[in-house]
Amino acid sequence: MDIQEQADEIDEDAVVAKAVPRAARRLEISNRELAEVLGYSPSTISRMGNGTFKPDPHSKQYELCALFLRVYRSLDAFAGGDRERAVAWLRAPNIGLAALTPEDYRRPRDELKRLGRIPIEAMKGVGGLVDVAAYLDARRGRV
């Protein structure tokens, strides 16, 4: 069997099903939190983690899994591979994710920090997951 035939046999669903829980563990995201991000139940996330569930590649949840993996890869690059830094970034308020107006930037710095969105909380909605992915892509640099 040549390399192309081996590549054709790769089960992409299984790759995603393995990668998502691994990325979540590395980022210290609980099954409950990951379930909220991806739109599954915590028990389904647990089954994904032990290899007994694969997301349907034609479902919206599969698209959310792919987007979550994009966030993971971008965050890993942004944090320079430093897991602790990536975990801290996910749990800290970020004004770059807040919908601030120009007037908001006139506020004191401490007040601005309180207006920031916490990335892991933002990711629990589809729009927030997209926002976090776009923010990290922009921070990584131009493609």
Side-chain angles (χ1 to χ4, degrees):
M1 181 180 304
D2 70 7
I3 292 175
Q4 183 57 47
E5 288 173 340
Q6 289 175 352
D8 291 342
E9 289 185 20
I10 292 175
D11 184 355
E12 290 181 25
D13 311 342
V15 171
V16 168
K18 277 186 168 183
V20 166
R22 283 182 183 176
R25 277 193 303 273
R26 183 158 164 78
L27 295 174
E28 299 179 13
I29 296 173
S30 70
N31 282 357
R32 182 188 56 75
E33 288 174 314
L34 187 59
E36 290 180 70
V37 170
L38 301 178
Y40 288 118
S41 69
S43 61
T44 300
I45 297 297
S46 180
R47 289 186 299 126
M48 189 186 305
N50 66 30
T52 59
F53 174 80
K54 293 188 295 188
D56 175 2
H58 305 290
S59 69
K60 290 294 178 192
Q61 282 95 351
Y62 187 88
E63 292 177 27
L64 294 175
C65 287
L67 189 56
F68 174 76
L69 291 173
R70 181 174 142 202
V71 165
Y72 168 74
R73 291 185 60 189
S74 295
L75 182 54
D76 187 59
F78 174 68
D82 183 340
R83 188 182 69 78
E84 289 178 9
R85 184 174 171 210
V87 170
W89 185 88
L90 271 177
R91 308 252 175 219
N94 188 312
I95 64 169
L97 295 172
L100 300 178
T101 64
E103 295 81 35
D104 289 328
Y105 287 98
R106 294 187 183 134
R107 297 174 184 223
R109 185 171 179 82
D110 288 342
E111 193 175 326
L112 271 177
K113 286 182 182 179
R114 286 192 298 275
L115 295 175
R117 289 173 68 194
I118 297 172
I120 188 63
E121 295 301 321
M123 290 167 53
K124 292 177 182 176
V126 175
L129 183 58
V130 170
D131 289 347
V132 170
Y135 177 86
L136 287 167
D137 286 347
R139 296 288 298 182
R140 273 181 41 187
R142 295 183 186 175
V143 178

